[in-house]
PDB file of all heavy atoms in Angstrom:
ATOM      1  N   VAL B 181      61.447  21.786 -26.346  1.00  0.00           N
ATOM      2  CA  VAL B 181      60.070  21.289 -26.359  1.00  0.00           C
ATOM      3  C   VAL B 181      59.134  22.434 -25.968  1.00  0.00           C
ATOM      4  O   VAL B 181      59.391  23.117 -24.975  1.00  0.00           O
ATOM      5  CB  VAL B 181      59.895  20.117 -25.362  1.00  0.00           C
ATOM      6  CG1 VAL B 181      58.536  19.460 -25.544  1.00  0.00           C
ATOM      7  CG2 VAL B 181      60.998  19.090 -25.525  1.00  0.00           C
ATOM      8  N   PRO B 182      58.076  22.661 -26.751  1.00  0.00           N
ATOM      9  CA  PRO B 182      57.131  23.732 -26.395  1.00  0.00           C
ATOM     10  C   PRO B 182      56.532  23.479 -25.003  1.00  0.00           C
ATOM     11  O   PRO B 182      56.346  22.327 -24.605  1.00  0.00           O
ATOM     12  CB  PRO B 182      56.033  23.629 -27.464  1.00  0.00           C
ATOM     13  CG  PRO B 182      56.624  22.837 -28.581  1.00  0.00           C
ATOM     14  CD  PRO B 182      57.671  21.948 -27.980  1.00  0.00           C
ATOM     15  N   GLY B 183      56.228  24.564 -24.306  1.00  0.00           N
ATOM     16  CA  GLY B 183      55.679  24.470 -22.952  1.00  0.00           C
ATOM     17  C   GLY B 183      54.434  23.606 -22.906  1.00  0.00           C
ATOM     18  O   GLY B 183      53.519  23.780 -23.710  1.00  0.00           O
ATOM     19  N   GLY B 184      54.405  22.656 -21.987  1.00  0.00           N
ATOM     20  CA  GLY B 184      53.233  21.806 -21.811  1.00  0.00           C
ATOM     21  C   GLY B 184      53.118  20.678 -22.808  1.00  0.00           C
ATOM     22  O   GLY B 184      52.211  19.838 -22.706  1.00  0.00           O
ATOM     23  N   PHE B 185      54.053  20.632 -23.772  1.00  0.00           N
ATOM     24  CA  PHE B 185      53.892  19.645 -24.843  1.00  0.00           C
ATOM     25  C   PHE B 185      54.184  18.227 -24.366  1.00  0.00           C
ATOM     26  O   PHE B 185      53.536  17.270 -24.821  1.00  0.00           O
ATOM     27  CB  PHE B 185      54.772  20.026 -26.035  1.00  0.00           C
ATOM     28  CG  PHE B 185      54.469  19.222 -27.259  1.00  0.00           C
ATOM     29  CD1 PHE B 185      53.216  19.303 -27.876  1.00  0.00           C
ATOM     30  CD2 PHE B 185      55.409  18.353 -27.798  1.00  0.00           C
ATOM     31  CE1 PHE B 185      52.921  18.550 -29.001  1.00  0.00           C
ATOM     32  CE2 PHE B 185      55.111  17.590 -28.927  1.00  0.00           C
ATOM     33  CZ  PHE B 185      53.869  17.698 -29.526  1.00  0.00           C
ATOM     34  N   VAL B 186      55.144  18.094 -23.441  1.00  0.00           N
ATOM     35  CA  VAL B 186      55.420  16.756 -22.912  1.00  0.00           C
ATOM     36  C   VAL B 186      54.182  16.206 -22.199  1.00  0.00           C
ATOM     37  O   VAL B 186      53.838  15.026 -22.345  1.00  0.00           O
ATOM     38  CB  VAL B 186      56.646  16.777 -21.973  1.00  0.00           C
ATOM     39  CG1 VAL B 186      56.726  15.479 -21.164  1.00  0.00           C
ATOM     40  CG2 VAL B 186      57.935  16.974 -22.772  1.00  0.00           C
ATOM     41  N   ASP B 187      53.499  17.076 -21.481  1.00  0.00           N
ATOM     42  CA  ASP B 187      52.268  16.633 -20.817  1.00  0.00           C
ATOM     43  C   ASP B 187      51.220  16.205 -21.843  1.00  0.00           C
ATOM     44  O   ASP B 187      50.513  15.209 -21.659  1.00  0.00           O
ATOM     45  CB  ASP B 187      51.693  17.765 -19.944  1.00  0.00           C
ATOM     46  CG  ASP B 187      52.561  18.012 -18.716  1.00  0.00           C
ATOM     47  OD1 ASP B 187      53.381  17.126 -18.379  1.00  0.00           O
ATOM     48  OD2 ASP B 187      52.430  19.088 -18.109  1.00  0.00           O
ATOM     49  N   ARG B 188      51.135  16.967 -22.918  1.00  0.00           N
ATOM     50  CA  ARG B 188      50.163  16.631 -23.940  1.00  0.00           C
ATOM     51  C   ARG B 188      50.493  15.259 -24.544  1.00  0.00           C
ATOM     52  O   ARG B 188      49.600  14.422 -24.767  1.00  0.00           O
ATOM     53  CB  ARG B 188      50.168  17.716 -25.018  1.00  0.00           C
ATOM     54  CG  ARG B 188      49.043  17.539 -25.998  1.00  0.00           C
ATOM     55  CD  ARG B 188      48.716  18.811 -26.767  1.00  0.00           C
ATOM     56  NE  ARG B 188      47.716  18.526 -27.784  1.00  0.00           N
ATOM     57  CZ  ARG B 188      47.519  19.246 -28.869  1.00  0.00           C
ATOM     58  NH1 ARG B 188      48.225  20.347 -29.064  1.00  0.00           N
ATOM     59  NH2 ARG B 188      46.594  18.908 -29.744  1.00  0.00           N
ATOM     60  N   LEU B 189      51.776  15.051 -24.804  1.00  0.00           N
ATOM     61  CA  LEU B 189      52.188  13.744 -25.332  1.00  0.00           C
ATOM     62  C   LEU B 189      51.876  12.637 -24.330  1.00  0.00           C
ATOM     63  O   LEU B 189      51.395  11.554 -24.701  1.00  0.00           O
ATOM     64  CB  LEU B 189      53.687  13.747 -25.655  1.00  0.00           C
ATOM     65  CG  LEU B 189      54.132  14.638 -26.821  1.00  0.00           C
ATOM     66  CD1 LEU B 189      55.656  14.623 -26.949  1.00  0.00           C
ATOM     67  CD2 LEU B 189      53.490  14.205 -28.135  1.00  0.00           C
ATOM     68  N   SER B 190      52.133  12.903 -23.052  1.00  0.00           N
ATOM     69  CA  SER B 190      51.866  11.905 -22.013  1.00  0.00           C
ATOM     70  C   SER B 190      50.385  11.562 -21.953  1.00  0.00           C
ATOM     71  O   SER B 190      50.013  10.405 -21.730  1.00  0.00           O
ATOM     72  CB  SER B 190      52.352  12.412 -20.651  1.00  0.00           C
ATOM     73  OG  SER B 190      53.745  12.604 -20.680  1.00  0.00           O
ATOM     74  N   ASP B 191      49.542  12.574 -22.128  1.00  0.00           N
ATOM     75  CA  ASP B 191      48.105  12.314 -22.147  1.00  0.00           C
ATOM     76  C   ASP B 191      47.750  11.329 -23.259  1.00  0.00           C
ATOM     77  O   ASP B 191      46.832  10.513 -23.129  1.00  0.00           O
ATOM     78  CB  ASP B 191      47.327  13.612 -22.376  1.00  0.00           C
ATOM     79  CG  ASP B 191      47.365  14.522 -21.152  1.00  0.00           C
ATOM     80  OD1 ASP B 191      47.757  14.032 -20.063  1.00  0.00           O
ATOM     81  OD2 ASP B 191      47.030  15.709 -21.293  1.00  0.00           O
ATOM     82  N   ILE B 192      48.451  11.425 -24.350  1.00  0.00           N
ATOM     83  CA  ILE B 192      48.112  10.599 -25.518  1.00  0.00           C
ATOM     84  C   ILE B 192      48.672   9.185 -25.389  1.00  0.00           C
ATOM     85  O   ILE B 192      47.966   8.199 -25.618  1.00  0.00           O
ATOM     86  CB  ILE B 192      48.632  11.257 -26.822  1.00  0.00           C
ATOM     87  CG1 ILE B 192      47.871  12.563 -27.091  1.00  0.00           C
ATOM     88  CG2 ILE B 192      48.495  10.309 -28.010  1.00  0.00           C
ATOM     89  CD1 ILE B 192      48.456  13.414 -28.188  1.00  0.00           C
ATOM     90  N   VAL B 193      49.951   9.071 -25.039  1.00  0.00           N
ATOM     91  CA  VAL B 193      50.588   7.749 -25.072  1.00  0.00           C
ATOM     92  C   VAL B 193      50.796   7.152 -23.686  1.00  0.00           C
ATOM     93  O   VAL B 193      51.234   6.001 -23.561  1.00  0.00           O
ATOM     94  CB  VAL B 193      51.948   7.787 -25.818  1.00  0.00           C
ATOM     95  CG1 VAL B 193      51.752   8.210 -27.262  1.00  0.00           C
ATOM     96  CG2 VAL B 193      52.953   8.681 -25.104  1.00  0.00           C
ATOM     97  N   GLY B 194      50.514   7.919 -22.642  1.00  0.00           N
ATOM     98  CA  GLY B 194      50.781   7.446 -21.277  1.00  0.00           C
ATOM     99  C   GLY B 194      52.121   7.978 -20.805  1.00  0.00           C
ATOM    100  O   GLY B 194      53.087   8.033 -21.576  1.00  0.00           O
ATOM    101  N   ALA B 195      52.185   8.348 -19.539  1.00  0.00           N
ATOM    102  CA  ALA B 195      53.380   9.019 -19.012  1.00  0.00           C
ATOM    103  C   ALA B 195      54.625   8.145 -19.130  1.00  0.00           C
ATOM    104  O   ALA B 195      55.735   8.636 -19.348  1.00  0.00           O
ATOM    105  CB  ALA B 195      53.153   9.400 -17.551  1.00  0.00           C
ATOM    106  N   GLY B 196      54.461   6.827 -18.999  1.00  0.00           N
ATOM    107  CA  GLY B 196      55.611   5.932 -19.080  1.00  0.00           C
ATOM    108  C   GLY B 196      56.146   5.734 -20.481  1.00  0.00           C
ATOM    109  O   GLY B 196      57.113   4.990 -20.673  1.00  0.00           O
ATOM    110  N   ASN B 197      55.528   6.390 -21.443  1.00  0.00           N
ATOM    111  CA  ASN B 197      55.932   6.186 -22.834  1.00  0.00           C
ATOM    112  C   ASN B 197      56.518   7.444 -23.474  1.00  0.00           C
ATOM    113  O   ASN B 197      56.612   7.525 -24.707  1.00  0.00           O
ATOM    114  CB  ASN B 197      54.741   5.689 -23.654  1.00  0.00           C
ATOM    115  CG  ASN B 197      54.347   4.268 -23.277  1.00  0.00           C
ATOM    116  OD1 ASN B 197      55.209   3.445 -22.986  1.00  0.00           O
ATOM    117  ND2 ASN B 197      53.045   3.995 -23.260  1.00  0.00           N
ATOM    118  N   VAL B 198      56.900   8.417 -22.646  1.00  0.00           N
ATOM    119  CA  VAL B 198      57.498   9.660 -23.146  1.00  0.00           C
ATOM    120  C   VAL B 198      58.844   9.865 -22.457  1.00  0.00           C
ATOM    121  O   VAL B 198      58.922   9.816 -21.226  1.00  0.00           O
ATOM    122  CB  VAL B 198      56.588  10.884 -22.853  1.00  0.00           C
ATOM    123  CG1 VAL B 198      57.210  12.158 -23.423  1.00  0.00           C
ATOM    124  CG2 VAL B 198      55.194  10.661 -23.416  1.00  0.00           C
ATOM    125  N   TYR B 199      59.892  10.081 -23.242  1.00  0.00           N
ATOM    126  CA  TYR B 199      61.240  10.211 -22.678  1.00  0.00           C
ATOM    127  C   TYR B 199      61.954  11.432 -23.240  1.00  0.00           C
ATOM    128  O   TYR B 199      61.908  11.684 -24.442  1.00  0.00           O
ATOM    129  CB  TYR B 199      62.074   8.968 -22.989  1.00  0.00           C
ATOM    130  CG  TYR B 199      61.510   7.722 -22.337  1.00  0.00           C
ATOM    131  CD1 TYR B 199      60.527   6.973 -22.964  1.00  0.00           C
ATOM    132  CD2 TYR B 199      61.945   7.340 -21.068  1.00  0.00           C
ATOM    133  CE1 TYR B 199      59.987   5.846 -22.356  1.00  0.00           C
ATOM    134  CE2 TYR B 199      61.417   6.216 -20.457  1.00  0.00           C
ATOM    135  CZ  TYR B 199      60.436   5.476 -21.111  1.00  0.00           C
ATOM    136  OH  TYR B 199      59.916   4.371 -20.505  1.00  0.00           O
ATOM    137  N   THR B 200      62.607  12.173 -22.352  1.00  0.00           N
ATOM    138  CA  THR B 200      63.448  13.291 -22.800  1.00  0.00           C
ATOM    139  C   THR B 200      64.859  13.178 -22.228  1.00  0.00           C
ATOM    140  O   THR B 200      65.658  14.106 -22.356  1.00  0.00           O
ATOM    141  CB  THR B 200      62.837  14.650 -22.361  1.00  0.00           C
ATOM    142  OG1 THR B 200      62.645  14.610 -20.933  1.00  0.00           O
ATOM    143  CG2 THR B 200      61.523  14.920 -23.047  1.00  0.00           C
ATOM    144  N   ASP B 201      65.162  12.038 -21.618  1.00  0.00           N
ATOM    145  CA  ASP B 201      66.501  11.851 -21.048  1.00  0.00           C
ATOM    146  C   ASP B 201      67.529  11.604 -22.154  1.00  0.00           C
ATOM    147  O   ASP B 201      67.190  11.159 -23.250  1.00  0.00           O
ATOM    148  CB  ASP B 201      66.488  10.659 -20.087  1.00  0.00           C
ATOM    149  CG  ASP B 201      66.105   9.378 -20.805  1.00  0.00           C
ATOM    150  OD1 ASP B 201      64.925   9.264 -21.234  1.00  0.00           O
ATOM    151  OD2 ASP B 201      66.978   8.510 -20.977  1.00  0.00           O
ATOM    152  N   ASP B 202      68.797  11.869 -21.844  1.00  0.00           N
ATOM    153  CA  ASP B 202      69.850  11.747 -22.845  1.00  0.00           C
ATOM    154  C   ASP B 202      69.981  10.323 -23.383  1.00  0.00           C
ATOM    155  O   ASP B 202      70.198  10.122 -24.589  1.00  0.00           O
ATOM    156  CB  ASP B 202      71.207  12.177 -22.245  1.00  0.00           C
ATOM    157  CG  ASP B 202      71.354  13.693 -22.258  1.00  0.00           C
ATOM    158  OD1 ASP B 202      70.346  14.391 -22.541  1.00  0.00           O
ATOM    159  OD2 ASP B 202      72.472  14.175 -21.985  1.00  0.00           O
ATOM    160  N   ALA B 203      69.869   9.339 -22.502  1.00  0.00           N
ATOM    161  CA  ALA B 203      70.058   7.959 -22.959  1.00  0.00           C
ATOM    162  C   ALA B 203      69.028   7.600 -24.026  1.00  0.00           C
ATOM    163  O   ALA B 203      69.364   7.040 -25.078  1.00  0.00           O
ATOM    164  CB  ALA B 203      69.971   6.997 -21.779  1.00  0.00           C
ATOM    165  N   SER B 204      67.767   7.942 -23.767  1.00  0.00           N
ATOM    166  CA  SER B 204      66.725   7.635 -24.748  1.00  0.00           C
ATOM    167  C   SER B 204      66.967   8.397 -26.051  1.00  0.00           C
ATOM    168  O   SER B 204      66.800   7.859 -27.151  1.00  0.00           O
ATOM    169  CB  SER B 204      65.346   8.020 -24.201  1.00  0.00           C
ATOM    170  OG  SER B 204      65.036   7.235 -23.066  1.00  0.00           O
ATOM    171  N   ARG B 205      67.372   9.651 -25.886  1.00  0.00           N
ATOM    172  CA  ARG B 205      67.585  10.466 -27.089  1.00  0.00           C
ATOM    173  C   ARG B 205      68.773   9.930 -27.892  1.00  0.00           C
ATOM    174  O   ARG B 205      68.714   9.842 -29.122  1.00  0.00           O
ATOM    175  CB  ARG B 205      67.785  11.927 -26.696  1.00  0.00           C
ATOM    176  CG  ARG B 205      66.520  12.539 -26.080  1.00  0.00           C
ATOM    177  CD  ARG B 205      66.817  13.871 -25.419  1.00  0.00           C
ATOM    178  NE  ARG B 205      67.277  14.844 -26.398  1.00  0.00           N
ATOM    179  CZ  ARG B 205      68.020  15.915 -26.090  1.00  0.00           C
ATOM    180  NH1 ARG B 205      68.400  16.126 -24.833  1.00  0.00           N
ATOM    181  NH2 ARG B 205      68.399  16.750 -27.024  1.00  0.00           N
ATOM    182  N   LEU B 206      69.845   9.546 -27.209  1.00  0.00           N
ATOM    183  CA  LEU B 206      71.022   9.011 -27.909  1.00  0.00           C
ATOM    184  C   LEU B 206      70.707   7.700 -28.623  1.00  0.00           C
ATOM    185  O   LEU B 206      71.243   7.412 -29.691  1.00  0.00           O
ATOM    186  CB  LEU B 206      72.176   8.798 -26.915  1.00  0.00           C
ATOM    187  CG  LEU B 206      72.888  10.069 -26.454  1.00  0.00           C
ATOM    188  CD1 LEU B 206      73.903   9.743 -25.354  1.00  0.00           C
ATOM    189  CD2 LEU B 206      73.585  10.761 -27.631  1.00  0.00           C
ATOM    190  N   ASP B 207      69.821   6.898 -28.019  1.00  0.00           N
ATOM    191  CA  ASP B 207      69.451   5.634 -28.665  1.00  0.00           C
ATOM    192  C   ASP B 207      68.717   5.840 -29.987  1.00  0.00           C
ATOM    193  O   ASP B 207      68.547   4.897 -30.758  1.00  0.00           O
ATOM    194  CB  ASP B 207      68.538   4.815 -27.736  1.00  0.00           C
ATOM    195  CG  ASP B 207      69.338   4.084 -26.676  1.00  0.00           C
ATOM    196  OD1 ASP B 207      70.560   3.928 -26.857  1.00  0.00           O
ATOM    197  OD2 ASP B 207      68.735   3.663 -25.672  1.00  0.00           O
ATOM    198  N   HIS B 208      68.251   7.039 -30.229  1.00  0.00           N
ATOM    199  CA  HIS B 208      67.496   7.318 -31.453  1.00  0.00           C
ATOM    200  C   HIS B 208      68.184   8.368 -32.315  1.00  0.00           C
ATOM    201  O   HIS B 208      67.542   9.077 -33.090  1.00  0.00           O
ATOM    202  CB  HIS B 208      66.071   7.750 -31.095  1.00  0.00           C
ATOM    203  CG  HIS B 208      65.303   6.673 -30.396  1.00  0.00           C
ATOM    204  ND1 HIS B 208      65.380   6.475 -29.017  1.00  0.00           N
ATOM    205  CD2 HIS B 208      64.484   5.703 -30.872  1.00  0.00           C
ATOM    206  CE1 HIS B 208      64.613   5.437 -28.695  1.00  0.00           C
ATOM    207  NE2 HIS B 208      64.061   4.958 -29.794  1.00  0.00           N
ATOM    208  N   ALA B 209      69.518   8.454 -32.151  1.00  0.00           N
ATOM    209  CA  ALA B 209      70.290   9.478 -32.864  1.00  0.00           C
ATOM    210  C   ALA B 209      70.817   8.939 -34.184  1.00  0.00           C
ATOM    211  O   ALA B 209      72.015   8.733 -34.352  1.00  0.00           O
ATOM    212  CB  ALA B 209      71.432   9.968 -31.971  1.00  0.00           C
TER     213      ALA B 209
END
Side-chain angles (χ1 to χ4, degrees):
Chain B
V181 189
F185 191 63
V186 166
D187 289 343
R188 189 160 174 203
L189 292 175
S190 297
D191 288 346
I192 293 169
V193 298
N197 290 323
V198 182
Y199 296 86
T200 55
D201 61 292
D202 279 10
S204 296
R205 294 167 63 203
L206 285 174
D207 280 342
H208 297 85

